[in-house]
Amino acid sequence: MAGEDCVRKRQSGSTTTYRTSENEEMQRRPEGERSFQNASNGRVDVDHVITRKMQLIAEAEQLKPAFMKEVDSHFTEFVNSLVAKSALLDSSSSLFPAPCSEKDLHKAKILRAPPEHGKIFTARRSLLDELFEVSHIRTIYHMFIALLIVFILSTLLVDFIDEGRLVLGFDLLVFVFGKFPVVFCTWLCMFSATVIVPYGLFFQWAQGYCSSSHRVIHSLFYGMLFTFFQTVGLGLGPTYVAVSYALPPASRFIVILEQVRLVMKAHSFVRENVPRVLSSVKEKSSPVPVPRITQYLYFLFAPTLIYRDNYPRNPTIRWGYVATKFAQVLGSLFYAYYIFVRLCIPQFRNSSQETFNLRGLVLCIFNSILPGVLILFLVFFAFLHCWLNAFAEMLRFADRMFYKDWWNSTSYANYYRTWNVVVHDWLYYYAYRDFLWFFGKKFKAAAMLSVFSVSAAVHEYVLSICFGFFYPVLFCLFMCFGMVFNFILNDRRKGPIWNVIMWTSLFLGQGVIICLYSQEWYARQYCPLENPTFLDYLKPRSWSCHMQM
């Protein structure tokens, strides 16, 4: 009995000590956190919830690298820890007081990330960087490298058999990237103008808006100047250089894609900062919130199209990582070269001498599926992963979510959202949401159609200028089949069969694009017109080229 009394006293003492330490810990917590946990009236501190969510996301991002390294070893304890973190993130019990009703909880959950806050940047790695730490996924990457080696050996052996010697020329690469000095000068002029003109116009407008007695006229004047610069300075100027100097295809792609990027960057800068100035003037606060030129300059190089004064930054630069990414970009470039040399050029070189018929078109499309899919993978890997990650690393830009797991999509709606997150964010915040803000939330279908139209038109504009002819294959696929599949293969499709259907349609689409654009390119080379009219630029030459041979 005496032993039992002793045990009871020890347990009572330890319980008292635990409660005392717990009370001391509660006293040491920040005032905002204690007030949030002690709330009992059902109201939610939205800023605190968002801050807490961002902290938990940062913790989850820190756990990801270790998690990916340990996947192969199946560490159950670590997986349970990650699940616990996820449960803590989505748990309502720790974020909302018990007396809240279900309706209030749902409303508070929506307020955790209100749309008016826009895109929230947070430190996170690219998905492929995480997946490549798994040996099974890294093996797929090794398989693509092995395929490149096979392409190189095949090309060398064929050249040796045909020529009796090794032919190591890269005439195709030299041709498509020709006239590089013109490209560099054009880019330098575009970039300098984008640094000076939009920032200067915004600065002058913001400084004069407070003291102006005719603010509407003042804003319209500077708005017209900005629109004129976007349309003529960045719009017509680079296009005129690309056409008048007869730049080769890859050089035109550099100029036109940089043109589109800078137009979107300038629009984002103005679109994000004008409301801040208007709000500051309305609240009669000073000084006027004009970003520094260094912040704008950083944004022009940063791998995002959404302007913020500050972004999450990494502490150091891994120059080895940068070198690896640029080496992978160079390797992808040679990969594309061998794909065209081995799979495309032999097929399309003499296509204009054959009669254009349905049988030949079907065979051409299916023969173009393999090179089309490989080119799709290379564009994604070289640009969206390697190129953007290399610049992000050099700028210490920490948010690396340039894409999501688009390959797992079971709907085209999800594919469009996850394939290119950088462009999707710009279209969502500045095209879709602004359309709904202007016309009302009842016009969601019209807003979606407008976004599709803008995206399809810009894609077709880029291809038309870069190839030197108008052949709206991509536009028709985007607007017709893309819109149909967007509504048929919607987010309610979750089964694996829908992922198979999506990939099948994607393969066929790539085959159509490679086939028709390649046929038209060679038809324009083999069947030139001496005095072409405007309609000759619009009519597909590949449909009638065989008649002139």
Side-chain angles (χ1 to χ4, degrees), residues 67-94:
F67 171 71
M68 300 307 296
K69 292 179 180 178
E70 303 294 339
V71 166
D72 293 334
S73 303
H74 303 287
F75 277 81
T76 306
E77 182 180 354
F78 191 86
V79 174
N80 291 336
S81 175
L82 186 65
V83 172
K85 287 286 184 181
S86 301
L88 180 62
L89 177 61
D90 294 330
S91 176
S92 59
S93 60
S94 63

mmCIF file of all heavy atoms in Angstrom, residues 67-94:
data_model
loop_
_atom_site.group_PDB
_atom_site.id
_atom_site.type_symbol
_atom_site.label_atom_id
_atom_site.label_comp_id
_atom_site.label_asym_id
_atom_site.label_seq_id
_atom_site.Cartn_x
_atom_site.Cartn_y
_atom_site.Cartn_z
ATOM 1 N N PHE A 67 11.766 13.113 -48.347
ATOM 2 C CA PHE A 67 10.743 12.112 -48.641
ATOM 3 C C PHE A 67 11.021 11.389 -49.945
ATOM 4 O O PHE A 67 10.929 10.160 -50.033
ATOM 5 C CB PHE A 67 9.375 12.796 -48.687
ATOM 6 C CG PHE A 67 8.274 11.912 -49.192
ATOM 7 C CD1 PHE A 67 7.802 10.858 -48.435
ATOM 8 C CD2 PHE A 67 7.718 12.135 -50.433
ATOM 9 C CE1 PHE A 67 6.793 10.041 -48.903
ATOM 10 C CE2 PHE A 67 6.713 11.326 -50.920
ATOM 11 C CZ PHE A 67 6.245 10.276 -50.146
ATOM 12 N N MET A 68 11.397 12.155 -50.994
ATOM 13 C CA MET A 68 11.647 11.543 -52.298
ATOM 14 C C MET A 68 12.862 10.617 -52.251
ATOM 15 O O MET A 68 12.907 9.610 -52.958
ATOM 16 C CB MET A 68 11.848 12.630 -53.349
ATOM 17 C CG MET A 68 10.649 13.569 -53.523
ATOM 18 S SD MET A 68 9.098 12.711 -53.822
ATOM 19 C CE MET A 68 9.456 11.930 -55.384
ATOM 20 N N LYS A 69 13.855 10.935 -51.432
ATOM 21 C CA LYS A 69 15.027 10.073 -51.332
ATOM 22 C C LYS A 69 14.710 8.752 -50.627
ATOM 23 O O LYS A 69 15.337 7.736 -50.890
ATOM 24 C CB LYS A 69 16.142 10.802 -50.559
ATOM 25 C CG LYS A 69 16.734 11.989 -51.318
ATOM 26 C CD LYS A 69 17.812 12.664 -50.493
ATOM 27 C CE LYS A 69 18.416 13.839 -51.239
ATOM 28 N NZ LYS A 69 19.435 14.546 -50.442
ATOM 29 N N GLU A 70 13.727 8.783 -49.737
ATOM 30 C CA GLU A 70 13.431 7.606 -48.937
ATOM 31 C C GLU A 70 12.285 6.761 -49.480
ATOM 32 O O GLU A 70 11.899 5.770 -48.862
ATOM 33 C CB GLU A 70 13.073 8.031 -47.502
ATOM 34 C CG GLU A 70 14.130 8.846 -46.778
ATOM 35 C CD GLU A 70 15.396 8.046 -46.522
ATOM 36 O OE1 GLU A 70 15.298 6.806 -46.531
ATOM 37 O OE2 GLU A 70 16.454 8.643 -46.353
ATOM 38 N N VAL A 71 11.728 7.155 -50.637
ATOM 39 C CA VAL A 71 10.579 6.424 -51.174
ATOM 40 C C VAL A 71 10.941 4.979 -51.466
ATOM 41 O O VAL A 71 10.180 4.054 -51.145
ATOM 42 C CB VAL A 71 10.043 7.127 -52.439
ATOM 43 C CG1 VAL A 71 9.093 6.214 -53.196
ATOM 44 C CG2 VAL A 71 9.313 8.395 -52.053
ATOM 45 N N ASP A 72 12.103 4.776 -52.090
ATOM 46 C CA ASP A 72 12.490 3.426 -52.471
ATOM 47 C C ASP A 72 12.655 2.508 -51.258
ATOM 48 O O ASP A 72 12.496 1.293 -51.356
ATOM 49 C CB ASP A 72 13.792 3.450 -53.278
ATOM 50 C CG ASP A 72 13.589 4.109 -54.613
ATOM 51 O OD1 ASP A 72 12.451 4.096 -55.111
ATOM 52 O OD2 ASP A 72 14.571 4.635 -55.158
ATOM 53 N N SER A 73 13.015 3.050 -50.140
ATOM 54 C CA SER A 73 13.228 2.243 -48.943
ATOM 55 C C SER A 73 11.963 2.053 -48.109
ATOM 56 O O SER A 73 11.970 1.306 -47.134
ATOM 57 C CB SER A 73 14.311 2.892 -48.074
ATOM 58 O OG SER A 73 15.497 3.033 -48.804
ATOM 59 N N HIS A 74 10.882 2.719 -48.472
ATOM 60 C CA HIS A 74 9.578 2.539 -47.820
ATOM 61 C C HIS A 74 9.648 2.792 -46.317
ATOM 62 O O HIS A 74 9.331 1.924 -45.506
ATOM 63 C CB HIS A 74 9.036 1.126 -48.079
ATOM 64 C CG HIS A 74 8.915 0.794 -49.531
ATOM 65 N ND1 HIS A 74 7.937 1.323 -50.336
ATOM 66 C CD2 HIS A 74 9.654 -0.008 -50.325
ATOM 67 C CE1 HIS A 74 8.075 0.859 -51.567
ATOM 68 N NE2 HIS A 74 9.116 0.065 -51.590
ATOM 69 N N PHE A 75 10.049 3.977 -45.939
ATOM 70 C CA PHE A 75 10.096 4.339 -44.530
ATOM 71 C C PHE A 75 8.688 4.729 -44.082
ATOM 72 O O PHE A 75 8.221 5.834 -44.329
ATOM 73 C CB PHE A 75 11.073 5.504 -44.306
ATOM 74 C CG PHE A 75 12.496 5.068 -44.182
ATOM 75 C CD1 PHE A 75 13.235 4.800 -45.328
ATOM 76 C CD2 PHE A 75 13.093 4.911 -42.952
ATOM 77 C CE1 PHE A 75 14.551 4.392 -45.239
ATOM 78 C CE2 PHE A 75 14.410 4.503 -42.860
ATOM 79 C CZ PHE A 75 15.147 4.238 -43.989
ATOM 80 N N THR A 76 8.022 3.785 -43.431
ATOM 81 C CA THR A 76 6.638 4.002 -43.024
ATOM 82 C C THR A 76 6.515 5.145 -42.028
ATOM 83 O O THR A 76 5.578 5.951 -42.094
ATOM 84 C CB THR A 76 6.084 2.716 -42.378
ATOM 85 O OG1 THR A 76 6.275 1.635 -43.288
ATOM 86 C CG2 THR A 76 4.607 2.876 -42.056
ATOM 87 N N GLU A 77 7.466 5.262 -41.141
ATOM 88 C CA GLU A 77 7.390 6.308 -40.133
ATOM 89 C C GLU A 77 7.441 7.691 -40.763
ATOM 90 O O GLU A 77 6.717 8.608 -40.367
ATOM 91 C CB GLU A 77 8.532 6.146 -39.130
ATOM 92 C CG GLU A 77 8.504 7.180 -38.009
ATOM 93 C CD GLU A 77 9.649 6.989 -37.030
ATOM 94 O OE1 GLU A 77 10.382 5.976 -37.182
ATOM 95 O OE2 GLU A 77 9.789 7.825 -36.135
ATOM 96 N N PHE A 78 8.296 7.837 -41.780
ATOM 97 C CA PHE A 78 8.397 9.140 -42.452
ATOM 98 C C PHE A 78 7.123 9.470 -43.220
ATOM 99 O O PHE A 78 6.670 10.610 -43.230
ATOM 100 C CB PHE A 78 9.604 9.138 -43.389
ATOM 101 C CG PHE A 78 9.945 10.502 -43.913
ATOM 102 C CD1 PHE A 78 10.764 11.353 -43.183
ATOM 103 C CD2 PHE A 78 9.448 10.930 -45.128
ATOM 104 C CE1 PHE A 78 11.065 12.610 -43.666
ATOM 105 C CE2 PHE A 78 9.757 12.190 -45.607
ATOM 106 C CZ PHE A 78 10.571 13.030 -44.869
ATOM 107 N N VAL A 79 6.553 8.471 -43.881
ATOM 108 C CA VAL A 79 5.310 8.681 -44.616
ATOM 109 C C VAL A 79 4.206 9.111 -43.665
ATOM 110 O O VAL A 79 3.416 10.006 -43.962
ATOM 111 C CB VAL A 79 4.913 7.409 -45.384
ATOM 112 C CG1 VAL A 79 3.550 7.577 -46.023
ATOM 113 C CG2 VAL A 79 5.950 7.090 -46.443
ATOM 114 N N ASN A 80 4.126 8.460 -42.499
ATOM 115 C CA ASN A 80 3.115 8.839 -41.517
ATOM 116 C C ASN A 80 3.309 10.275 -41.048
ATOM 117 O O ASN A 80 2.346 10.999 -40.801
ATOM 118 C CB ASN A 80 3.162 7.886 -40.325
ATOM 119 C CG ASN A 80 2.696 6.491 -40.689
ATOM 120 O OD1 ASN A 80 1.946 6.320 -41.645
ATOM 121 N ND2 ASN A 80 3.136 5.495 -39.936
ATOM 122 N N SER A 81 4.561 10.694 -40.930
ATOM 123 C CA SER A 81 4.829 12.075 -40.527
ATOM 124 C C SER A 81 4.330 13.057 -41.579
ATOM 125 O O SER A 81 3.752 14.092 -41.260
ATOM 126 C CB SER A 81 6.325 12.268 -40.298
ATOM 127 O OG SER A 81 6.615 13.614 -40.027
ATOM 128 N N LEU A 82 4.558 12.725 -42.847
ATOM 129 C CA LEU A 82 4.093 13.609 -43.916
ATOM 130 C C LEU A 82 2.575 13.661 -43.966
ATOM 131 O O LEU A 82 1.983 14.715 -44.170
ATOM 132 C CB LEU A 82 4.640 13.130 -45.267
ATOM 133 C CG LEU A 82 4.350 14.045 -46.462
ATOM 134 C CD1 LEU A 82 5.046 15.377 -46.285
ATOM 135 C CD2 LEU A 82 4.768 13.395 -47.759
ATOM 136 N N VAL A 83 1.940 12.509 -43.786
ATOM 137 C CA VAL A 83 0.482 12.473 -43.748
ATOM 138 C C VAL A 83 -0.040 13.319 -42.601
ATOM 139 O O VAL A 83 -1.056 14.022 -42.722
ATOM 140 C CB VAL A 83 -0.019 11.022 -43.642
ATOM 141 C CG1 VAL A 83 -1.520 10.991 -43.404
ATOM 142 C CG2 VAL A 83 0.321 10.261 -44.904
ATOM 143 N N ALA A 84 0.644 13.256 -41.466
ATOM 144 C CA ALA A 84 0.227 14.063 -40.323
ATOM 145 C C ALA A 84 0.321 15.553 -40.635
ATOM 146 O O ALA A 84 -0.537 16.340 -40.259
ATOM 147 C CB ALA A 84 1.084 13.718 -39.102
ATOM 148 N N LYS A 85 1.397 15.924 -41.356
ATOM 149 C CA LYS A 85 1.522 17.324 -41.750
ATOM 150 C C LYS A 85 0.380 17.749 -42.667
ATOM 151 O O LYS A 85 -0.178 18.831 -42.536
ATOM 152 C CB LYS A 85 2.861 17.542 -42.461
ATOM 153 C CG LYS A 85 4.059 17.508 -41.535
ATOM 154 C CD LYS A 85 4.138 18.763 -40.704
ATOM 155 C CE LYS A 85 5.396 18.777 -39.856
ATOM 156 N NZ LYS A 85 5.475 19.991 -39.022
ATOM 157 N N SER A 86 0.036 16.895 -43.636
ATOM 158 C CA SER A 86 -1.059 17.202 -44.545
ATOM 159 C C SER A 86 -2.381 17.290 -43.812
ATOM 160 O O SER A 86 -3.215 18.147 -44.084
ATOM 161 C CB SER A 86 -1.129 16.134 -45.649
ATOM 162 O OG SER A 86 0.075 16.081 -46.361
ATOM 163 N N ALA A 87 -2.573 16.366 -42.860
ATOM 164 C CA ALA A 87 -3.809 16.406 -42.086
ATOM 165 C C ALA A 87 -3.890 17.677 -41.260
ATOM 166 O O ALA A 87 -4.952 18.282 -41.113
ATOM 167 C CB ALA A 87 -3.889 15.178 -41.185
ATOM 168 N N LEU A 88 -2.743 18.098 -40.724
ATOM 169 C CA LEU A 88 -2.727 19.335 -39.951
ATOM 170 C C LEU A 88 -3.057 20.532 -40.816
ATOM 171 O O LEU A 88 -3.707 21.486 -40.395
ATOM 172 C CB LEU A 88 -1.363 19.516 -39.295
ATOM 173 C CG LEU A 88 -1.167 20.781 -38.433
ATOM 174 C CD1 LEU A 88 -2.139 20.769 -37.272
ATOM 175 C CD2 LEU A 88 0.260 20.875 -37.956
ATOM 176 N N LEU A 89 -2.602 20.506 -42.089
ATOM 177 C CA LEU A 89 -2.854 21.615 -42.999
ATOM 178 C C LEU A 89 -4.332 21.765 -43.310
ATOM 179 O O LEU A 89 -4.863 22.864 -43.364
ATOM 180 C CB LEU A 89 -2.071 21.400 -44.297
ATOM 181 C CG LEU A 89 -2.270 22.449 -45.396
ATOM 182 C CD1 LEU A 89 -1.836 23.811 -44.899
ATOM 183 C CD2 LEU A 89 -1.512 22.054 -46.642
ATOM 184 N N ASP A 90 -5.022 20.648 -43.532
ATOM 185 C CA ASP A 90 -6.420 20.682 -43.928
ATOM 186 C C ASP A 90 -7.378 20.509 -42.763
ATOM 187 O O ASP A 90 -8.588 20.465 -42.950
ATOM 188 C CB ASP A 90 -6.696 19.590 -44.967
ATOM 189 C CG ASP A 90 -5.957 19.854 -46.259
ATOM 190 O OD1 ASP A 90 -5.746 21.039 -46.551
ATOM 191 O OD2 ASP A 90 -5.579 18.877 -46.937
ATOM 192 N N SER A 91 -6.855 20.310 -41.568
ATOM 193 C CA SER A 91 -7.730 20.061 -40.430
ATOM 194 C C SER A 91 -8.457 21.319 -40.022
ATOM 195 O O SER A 91 -7.877 22.394 -39.908
ATOM 196 C CB SER A 91 -6.901 19.538 -39.250
ATOM 197 O OG SER A 91 -7.716 19.392 -38.119
ATOM 198 N N SER A 92 -9.732 21.199 -39.818
ATOM 199 C CA SER A 92 -10.522 22.348 -39.395
ATOM 200 C C SER A 92 -10.558 22.486 -37.881
ATOM 201 O O SER A 92 -10.873 23.544 -37.359
ATOM 202 C CB SER A 92 -11.955 22.230 -39.927
ATOM 203 O OG SER A 92 -12.559 21.048 -39.450
ATOM 204 N N SER A 93 -10.235 21.404 -37.181
ATOM 205 C CA SER A 93 -10.328 21.450 -35.731
ATOM 206 C C SER A 93 -9.298 22.381 -35.124
ATOM 207 O O SER A 93 -9.548 23.017 -34.108
ATOM 208 C CB SER A 93 -10.161 20.045 -35.150
ATOM 209 O OG SER A 93 -8.899 19.511 -35.515
ATOM 210 N N SER A 94 -8.114 22.481 -35.735
ATOM 211 C CA SER A 94 -7.077 23.341 -35.193
ATOM 212 C C SER A 94 -7.181 24.765 -35.684
ATOM 213 O O SER A 94 -6.512 25.638 -35.175
ATOM 214 C CB SER A 94 -5.693 22.775 -35.561
ATOM 215 O OG SER A 94 -5.550 22.775 -36.952
#
